[in-house]
Amino acid sequence: MNGRVLYLIACAAGPAQHVDDGVRRAQAAGWDVCLILSPSAARWWADRRSELEELTGRLVRSEYKLPGERDALPKAAAMLVAPLTTTSACKWAAGITDTVALGLPAEGVHLGVPVAVMPFWSTALGAQPAVGRAVETLREQGVRVVFAPGEPHPPKRGDASAFAWSAGLAALQA
């Protein structure tokens, strides 16, 4: 492991099905990747979680550790939340950190860790006024919000397999 630790945090949107692609791209960019999944995204990988652990060389986290339990994650140099859902954006902006996938970046950005997010949601969900306010709140906190080309996408038309992981990684280099 090279010391440049990236927490790649995936919420339960289509691209989370391809988070292994995101891990590989981050590794190719020189990152030592720790993968954190929202509880729903973790269910999508329940039968294949060992593949992700073999790919990263680390346990995949989806729950907070228990009191007194040693933290399995090294200190992050940066965090990328990709994909970010409207639900997670709104909860984070409201200060609700009930999952480790939200708690880590919510705390990290205020500890000086560079944090970028890549939303993946439909224009219908993004039209909710709370979503725009959440994006602005995250930006005000110093979160780098990166909308990949084609995002937000028309309802039922997002191409999860073409998710531009590299755009989020590039935002962390800036």
Side-chain angles (χ1 to χ4, degrees):
M1 308 291 170
N2 66 19
R4 260 183 47 158
V5 175
L6 173 69
Y7 288 5
L8 177 55
I9 303 167
C11 301
Q17 300 169 82
H18 308 284
V19 74
D20 54 327
D21 293 337
V23 169
R24 286 184 189 91
R25 287 187 184 256
Q27 289 171 331
W31 291 103
D32 176 6
V33 180
C34 294
L35 184 59
I36 296 97
L37 302 175
S38 71
S40 294
R43 284 198 325 263
W44 295 1
W45 281 90
D47 294 340
R48 297 175 44 217
R49 193 174 190 135
S50 62
E51 289 177 37
L52 297 175
E53 291 177 347
E54 186 174 321
L55 182 61
T56 63
R58 301 183 180 284
L59 293 176
V60 174
R61 293 276 306 273
S62 59
E63 297 177 352
Y64 280 113
K65 65 183 185 68
L66 297 173
E69 187 177 7
R70 186 174 94 43
D71 196 344
L73 298 175
K75 184 177 178 184
M79 298 183 193
L80 174 60
V81 183
L84 177 70
T85 62
T86 56
T87 299
S88 291
C90 291
K91 285 171 60 175
W92 179 0
I96 301 168
T97 58
D98 60 340
T99 67
V100 70
L102 291 178
L104 288 171
E107 182 180 48
V109 73
H110 296 291
L111 292 173
V113 177
V115 176
V117 301
M118 291 186 63
F120 185 86
W121 55 59
S122 74
T123 52
L125 289 173
Q128 296 294 322
V131 174
R133 288 192 298 269
V135 168
E136 283 310 307
T137 298
L138 294 178
R139 284 184 170 139
E140 288 167 5
Q141 293 177 55
V143 175
R144 301 167 191 176
V145 180
V146 179
F147 282 91
E151 287 304 314
H153 55 269
K156 308 290 183 200
R157 297 212 178 134
D159 186 356
S161 65
F163 193 63
W165 300 99
S166 56
L169 294 168
L172 293 171
Q173 305 295 357

